[in-house]
Amino acid sequence: MACENETAVVLREAGQKVTPQRVHILCEVRHAGVHITASRLIDELRVSHPFIDASTVYRTLASAADLGLVYETDMGSGESEFEWVGKDRHHHLICRSCGDVESLDNSYLDGMATLLYEEAGFQADLGHFAIFGVCKGCQTKA
Amino acid sequence: MACENETAVVLREAGQKVTPQRVHILCEVRHAGVHITASRLIDELRVSHPFIDASTVYRTLASAADLGLVYETDMGSGESEFEWVGKDRHHHLICRSCGDVESLDNSYLDGMATLLYEEAGFQADLGHFAIFGVCKGCQTKA
DNA sequence: GCTGCAGTTGCAACGACTCGCATTTGCAAC
DNA sequence: GTTGCAAATGCGAGTCGTTGCAACTGCAGC
Ligand SMILES: [Mn+2]
Ligand SMILES: [Mn+2]
Ligand SMILES: [Zn+2]
Ligand SMILES: [Zn+2]
């Protein structure tokens, strides 16, 4: 986990106090690479930093989501999943039939964002959507 | 609440047993007109039907959502909000600044659904989205 | 370095939601 | 209308996540 200094800078720029708890929690999210639930995060943190309270983890994730540092998304598992906001903005297509999860480039939703701005004056923040439906493979099977 | 018979028919058509609990719960959702949380629903049911257990309410809402009878949406309040699936398919624009909630006609997302089908073969089910952002009024203030 | 204080944390109590299991019930077949 | 059974309910126990509060700490100013 070599992202500690970088994470501290990001926190400071966002106007947050840099506490060891926050740095550890957010580094763990970054290190996870992909989506991670709060409870799995707590389990993994317990190994390296057993003193961090669960409520601190939840609060840190919530404020990081507010600040746009992480995405919080309901991928249908019942638990929110978190993901560090990196350079590759994307969404997900989730098949209700086989459960397959695919990534979708941001560009598909850009058109809608433009339309919303032009017609409704609403500046949409299309962060990280989970779009449910039926994938190509499962349609042909039916 | 004159929707009891109609609700019973909908339940039967969906292959569910028609129990008084389910009918009362779903009628209450229909009667609410707009989005309602599970806990508020439980409070309101306690008045007219004090014998219905909370777990039955949660189970009924979950299965109704699976069957497509109600929408379950995170509108940002922390609790899921439920809404009877009527004739007017719509989504919502929610302002992060002033909290205003506007309805958005389905047609705005239809274009994206078509694009997804043509380019990825994915049959998206764009039920009832909550799109966060900044409304027109709050932009001019900034 | 100290000091002061707003912001953060841990803890414990609480509310929201889920789950297993024994009992009851809708409903289809006779 | 009786019977049989799968499905639904109620209850209790348990898990997940939130919140109020007292103690603590990062950090800006001196
Ligand atoms: Mn993702
Ligand atoms: Mn709605
Ligand atoms: Zn599939
Ligand atoms: Zn606004």
Side-chain angles (χ1 to χ4, degrees), chain A residues 104 107-113 115-116 119 131, chain B residues 91 104-120 122-124 126:
Chain A
L104 181 74
S107 58
Y108 279 83
L109 293 186
D110 280 349
M112 189 184 67
L115 198 63
L116 282 179
E119 298 200 14
I131 299 171
Chain B
H91 309 281
L104 181 76
D105 193 78
N106 214 16
S107 57
Y108 280 83
L109 293 186
D110 281 349
M112 188 184 67
T114 306
L115 198 63
L116 281 179
Y117 189 72
E118 287 171 357
E119 298 200 14
F122 188 85
Q123 188 146 41
L126 305 175

Side-chain angles (χ1 to χ4, degrees), chain A residues 94-100 133-139 141, chain B residues 122:
Chain A
I94 305 174
C95 179
R96 283 189 202 282
S97 175
C98 66
D100 183 52
V134 183
C135 77
K136 200 168 191 169
C138 287
Q139 283 170 58
K141 271 179 227 145
Chain B
F122 188 85

Side-chain angles (χ1 to χ4, degrees), chain A residues 13 18 25 28 32-33 36 39 51 54 56 59 63 78-79 83 98-99 119 122 133 141-142:
Chain A
E13 281 173 355
V18 179
I25 293 163
E28 196 73 37
I36 185 169
S39 50
F51 49 87
T56 300
R59 281 191 275 232
S63 78
E79 277 185 79
E83 181 178 12
C98 66
E119 298 200 14
F122 188 85
K141 271 179 227 145

Side-chain angles (χ1 to χ4, degrees), chain B residues 9-10 14 16 35 54 59 61 67 72 82 91 97 117 126:
Chain B
V9 171
V10 173
Q16 300 258 107
H35 315 136
R59 281 190 274 231
L61 289 172
L67 293 165
E72 177 179 1
F82 296 86
H91 309 281
S97 175
Y117 189 72
L126 305 175

